[in-house]
Every structure is written in structure tokens, then in C-alpha cells.
Amino acid sequence: MSLKRVLFVDDEQRVLDAIQRMLRPYRGELEMAFASSGEEALRLFAENKFDIIVSDIRMPRMDGAELLGRIKKDYPDTIRFALSGQSDQETWMRSLGSAHQFISKPCNAETLRAAIIQA
């Protein structure tokens, strides 16, 4: 199995830290990078190739739905996950056109890893 390059995006550093801790046992399967904004994520994409992006939906300035839409347009081969604690219908509908899958926060490491590996 090849190493999957995954970019996680969330405006809350504690969430990114928790994801990093949670997925540490899977470092042999996942090469992980982290961004705290949509703008930072786009800069990282311009410099690196990622197989998968996992983005929070509710973020200031550029929200996750907009970010995933831009990734879909500019990097169509990238698998896109929307990760959100806000599972209301409006949030879900906004991300639906740009995300391959919607994952509710909080989620455990195995759920997140399984979704990424299956992709």
C-alpha cells in the first residue's frame, strides 16, 4: 500500500493537534500536513501534491465549502472530505457539491483512518 498524502484543515489549532495525536499510530500509512486556514491550505497545495484533503466547514474568511470547491476546480483528482461538528442541513448541502464524503466531528481515529484508506 502506498503512503497517502493528506492535508487537514481547521481554524482551531487544538483540533489539528488532536487529529495529529489521534492518527500518529498510522504514520506508516499516512503522510500528514496541517493548515489553519483555507488560504494556507491553498498555498500548501501550490507547493505539494496531496491525495486527500480533510477540511472543517465552518472557518472564518474562506470556509471549508469554498476551499473544497477551489480544490475540486484546481486539483480535481484530490479526494475531498468535509469534516464538521455542524451537521445541519444547510452546512451539509453547501459542502455536498464539493466533497466526496461528509464526516461528523468528533470522530475517532479509526473512523477517520478508515475513510481515508478507503478513499
Side-chain angles (χ1 to χ4, degrees):
M1 173 174 51
S2 65
L3 201 63
K4 294 195 185 305
R5 296 199 58 175
V6 185
L7 177 62
F8 293 93
V9 186
D10 199 300
D11 62 309
E12 294 184 48
Q13 187 61 47
R14 65 180 179 74
V15 172
L16 293 176
D17 292 343
I19 290 170
Q20 188 170 17
R21 273 192 313 277
M22 203 169 56
L23 295 177
R24 188 170 286 137
Y26 305 110
R27 285 182 304 215
E29 301 172 51
L30 306 174
E31 184 177 327
M32 297 175 277
F34 301 88
S36 59
S37 69
E39 296 84 359
E40 183 182 358
L42 291 175
R43 279 193 304 275
L44 288 171
F45 257 90
E47 300 166 3
N48 305 282
K49 181 188 181 318
F50 292 98
D51 303 305
I52 300 168
I53 183 170
V54 180
S55 179
D56 185 29
I57 293 301
R58 294 208 176 193
M59 296 186 293
R61 296 181 311 276
M62 180 189 306
D63 69 14
E66 180 183 348
L67 171 62
L68 293 175
R70 293 193 45 192
I71 296 298
K72 178 181 179 180
K73 178 180 164 283
D74 296 341
Y75 307 94
D77 294 337
T78 300
I79 297 169
R80 300 168 307 276
F81 289 96
L83 182 65
S84 182
Q86 311 295 327
S87 57
D88 59 83
Q89 187 171 3
E90 178 188 342
T91 302
W92 187 80
M93 292 301 287
R94 285 191 60 231
S95 63
L96 190 60
S98 302
H100 290 103
Q101 190 170 338
F102 190 92
I103 302 171
S104 293
K105 283 198 285 191
C107 67
N108 64 40
E110 189 50 39
T111 299
L112 191 53
R113 177 200 163 272
I116 291 168
I117 297 301
Q118 271 188 332

